Amino acid sequence: MELRVTGRKTATRIVPTQVGGDEVVRALEEEIALGLIGPRARLVEEELTQRFAVKRHVARQALADLETMGLVVRQPYRGAMVRDYSVAEIEQLYLVREMVEGRAAELIPLPASAALIGQLSVIHGRHCAAVAAGDLRSVFRENLLFHRTFFAACGNVPLAEVIEHLAMKVHAIRSYSIGNPATLAAVCKEHAEFIALLQRRDRKRLVALVSQHIQPAKEAYLMLARHVNRPSHPPQVATAQ
Amino acid sequence: MELRVTGRKTATRIVPTQVGGDEVVRALEEEIALGLIGPRARLVEEELTQRFAVKRHVARQALADLETMGLVVRQPYRGAMVRDYSVAEIEQLYLVREMVEGRAAELIPLPASAALIGQLSVIHGRHCAAVAAGDLRSVFRENLLFHRTFFAACGNVPLAEVIEHLAMKVHAIRSYSIGNPATLAAVCKEHAEFIALLQRRDRKRLVALVSQHIQPAKEAYLMLARHVNRPSHPPQVATAQ
DNA sequence: GTCAATCTTATTGTTAACAATATTGCTGAC
DNA sequence: GTCAGCAATATTGTTAACAATAAGATTGAC
């Protein structure tokens, strides 16, 4: 008897050596977000098949998915590379994020249910622990989960999906701030505030905190972008792992 | 010499008998929006390969794309079918649409540039003509183009993308109102109002019109949904063309 | 007649070989 | 020495055959 990974949407990780397409997507997303694979790095199908022990059409599909996520660009017969956003694009992206996340925060019932508070507290605990341990991969995952759980509480599924989708696009940028311990500590502290505010009725402050919470990554990127001569960015090679 | 369809993103229709993957997606999207393929209709890969004269992996990819667009659901080893949304999902979707489209309308510079007015007028003309002629396929296409052009004017690319993405999800629903001549005429008239308002500075009315413009399709669907016993919807067969 | 086990069929998922394309480095003329 | 043309290579796109799965039909026992 052998457990198998079935389809894209119902995949559950079981076999570590033979992995589903979603796993590849998630792993690559993570590494892009962590800056292990930098902007303009090439992603070659053959390399992926070897690294993840999948067949080529799986790697191929993963790249297609990453493209629709906005993390990767592909050109016919020329392959895929990690996308890098221009300063203008970043600013636009953050404007939209602020808008939809703010609106979602307005929809969350206050005070929040005990169940939600409990869930967020658990995640927050793990997140803080990961930060303390310097385990960036876990930091990334727990942070993602925290936000997902938080915004799902708005009760509007498509809205939560849009929020997640936009956050994903921004992953490539976050790598500039995720390495900074000070920023990480600040994020942790703000998460604690989220939980505290959810138990009160001060919606104004909650919405304000949401806006405030997304700024640091943007600032870090824009700061950096102004010092680097963006267009002639030298191509980096993908040698993660 | 033979012109060829290259990659997904750069495809341009040239050969009608051998068509790119995007073409399949567009055609299917159109037919779903027009109600030619109803909710719960199955989409079999082999049928698509024959109809569009493509290889199976192209049809396959098209179905995957339609799934990420939210128009189709797929289950492993069981195939794809046109998605149907529950009443709750519709209401949530329209809430988000109103929110993002309203915000976009606030960002459009007023009065709009002559270039934009010109573009919209041309599209509007074709749209009205299509309505008059009863050419539903063109109605669909021109309507789409009108909205895309309108919202692109907000200047925020990711915002425009989100708007388009949400509109796409709703296509499956629109089919309930697109057949109605009265509704179609109303849409046309409102488009004319859009153009008129863009030339003035009355932002309040513009934003209000955007909200109002989305309502009819929602109403039509919700009306219908309440009369039909949703969950036990009988499966319909895909026999478009 | 009904139920369970089995077989058949429709359909999707997987595989590996092959073709097409773009890039790179090389050769030779000027 | 530089540039054009050409050959080699790396990489993606395509193809068709094969395997796996799920649903329905058939058979046989009770």
Side-chain angles (χ1 to χ4, degrees):
Chain A
M1 167 203 173
E2 200 195 14
L3 292 173
R4 291 192 51 79
V5 174
T6 52
R8 279 183 61 230
K9 297 291 164 178
T10 58
T12 25
R13 179 175 45 182
I14 296 161
V15 191
T17 53
Q18 175 84 24
V19 100
D22 282 358
E23 308 288 330
V24 180
V25 172
R26 268 201 287 273
L28 254 25
E29 179 193 350
E30 202 172 294
E31 288 174 11
I32 291 171
L34 293 175
L36 299 175
I37 312 179
R40 299 241 168 168
R42 291 190 62 188
L43 296 172
V44 177
E45 293 178 2
E46 173 63 17
E47 287 176 17
L48 298 181
T49 61
Q50 288 184 13
R51 238 198 89 189
F52 294 101
V54 295
K55 296 300 173 183
R56 201 153 75 91
H57 76 279
V58 176
R60 194 177 180 65
Q61 180 63 48
L63 289 176
D65 291 350
L66 286 168
E67 185 180 32
T68 70
M69 289 184 197
L71 286 179
V72 151
V73 276
R74 293 203 308 165
Q75 284 179 299
Y77 289 108
R78 298 200 19 189
M81 58 166 57
V82 177
R83 176 168 176 181
D84 66 338
Y85 287 89
S86 73
V87 173
E89 286 172 315
I90 298 301
E91 282 170 343
Q92 292 184 345
L93 254 172
Y94 273 88
L95 192 83
V96 184
R97 284 191 73 195
E98 213 171 317
M99 163 188 149
V100 290
E101 293 194 1
R103 192 82 178 79
E106 286 172 5
L107 293 176
I108 298 176
L110 286 187
S113 72
L116 176 61
I117 299 295
Q119 273 189 295
L120 286 176
S121 298
V122 170
I123 299 165
H124 179 236
R126 286 200 301 258
H127 183 240
C128 290
V131 168
D135 178 358
L136 292 185
R137 286 188 124 93
S138 296
V139 169
F140 174 74
R141 264 193 288 258
E142 298 298 341
N143 180 62
L144 210 66
L145 191 55
F146 187 92
H147 287 125
R148 181 178 300 150
T149 308
F150 179 82
F151 287 113
C154 79
N156 189 312
V157 178
L159 179 54
E161 280 173 3
V162 166
I163 290 172
E164 203 159 332
H165 186 244
L166 290 169
M168 204 169 273
K169 284 195 170 185
V170 149
H171 281 168
I173 297 155
R174 283 241 213 93
S175 61
Y176 292 107
S177 73
I178 202 170
N180 187 338
T183 308
L184 254 43
V187 166
C188 247
K189 201 174 159 198
E190 284 178 1
H191 283 188
E193 279 187 65
F194 275 125
I195 295 177
L197 285 176
L198 279 174
Q199 292 171 286
R200 287 160 188 68
R201 289 176 186 278
D202 194 345
R203 188 171 299 281
K204 215 165 188 176
R205 280 182 60 192
L206 184 68
V207 174
L209 184 59
V210 165
S211 298
Q212 181 194 323
H213 190 60
I214 43 178
Q215 299 308 320
K218 177 173 108 178
E219 298 302 338
Y221 182 82
L222 292 180
M223 195 82 75
L224 195 102
R226 269 189 266 279
H227 288 278
V228 180
N229 229 347
R230 224 76 249 301
S232 54
H233 218 70
Q236 296 175 236
V237 185
T239 38
Q241 286 269 349
Chain B
M1 169 202 176
E2 199 196 14
L3 291 172
R4 290 194 51 79
V5 174
T6 54
R8 281 183 60 230
K9 298 288 164 178
T10 57
T12 25
R13 179 174 46 183
I14 295 160
V15 191
T17 52
Q18 175 84 24
V19 101
D22 282 357
E23 308 287 329
V24 180
V25 172
R26 269 202 285 273
L28 253 25
E29 179 191 349
E30 200 173 297
E31 287 172 13
I32 291 171
L34 293 174
L36 299 175
I37 313 178
R40 299 244 168 164
R42 290 191 61 188
L43 296 172
V44 177
E45 293 178 3
E46 174 63 17
E47 287 175 18
L48 298 180
T49 62
Q50 289 184 12
R51 237 197 91 188
F52 294 100
V54 294
K55 297 301 174 182
R56 201 154 73 90
H57 76 280
V58 176
R60 194 176 180 66
Q61 180 63 50
L63 289 177
D65 290 351
L66 286 167
E67 185 180 32
T68 69
M69 288 184 198
L71 287 178
V72 151
V73 275
R74 294 203 305 165
Q75 285 180 300
Y77 289 107
R78 299 200 18 186
M81 56 166 57
V82 177
R83 175 167 176 180
D84 66 338
Y85 285 88
S86 73
V87 173
E89 286 170 316
I90 299 301
E91 283 171 342
Q92 293 185 345
L93 254 173
Y94 273 88
L95 190 84
V96 184
R97 285 192 72 196
E98 214 170 316
M99 162 187 150
V100 291
E101 294 194 1
R103 192 81 178 78
E106 286 173 5
L107 293 177
I108 298 176
L110 285 188
S113 71
L116 177 63
I117 299 295
Q119 273 188 294
L120 286 176
S121 297
V122 170
I123 298 164
H124 179 235
R126 286 202 302 259
H127 183 241
C128 290
V131 168
D135 177 359
L136 292 186
R137 284 188 125 91
S138 296
V139 168
F140 174 74
R141 266 193 287 257
E142 299 298 341
N143 180 61
L144 211 64
L145 190 55
F146 187 92
H147 286 124
R148 182 177 298 149
T149 307
F150 179 82
F151 286 113
C154 78
N156 191 311
V157 178
L159 179 54
E161 280 174 3
V162 166
I163 289 173
E164 202 160 333
H165 186 245
L166 290 169
M168 203 169 272
K169 283 196 170 184
V170 149
H171 282 169
I173 298 155
R174 282 236 215 97
S175 61
Y176 291 105
S177 73
I178 202 170
N180 186 338
T183 307
L184 254 42
V187 167
C188 248
K189 202 176 159 197
E190 285 178 0
H191 283 186
E193 279 188 65
F194 274 124
I195 295 176
L197 283 177
L198 279 175
Q199 293 172 286
R200 284 158 190 69
R201 289 177 185 278
D202 195 345
R203 187 170 301 280
K204 214 165 187 176
R205 278 183 61 193
L206 184 66
V207 174
L209 184 58
V210 166
S211 297
Q212 181 194 323
H213 190 60
I214 328 191
Q215 299 308 319
K218 175 173 109 178
E219 298 301 336
Y221 182 82
L222 291 179
M223 195 83 75
L224 195 103
R226 271 189 263 279
H227 288 277
V228 179
N229 230 347
R230 222 74 251 299
S232 55
H233 218 69
Q236 295 174 237
V237 184
T239 37
Q241 287 268 351

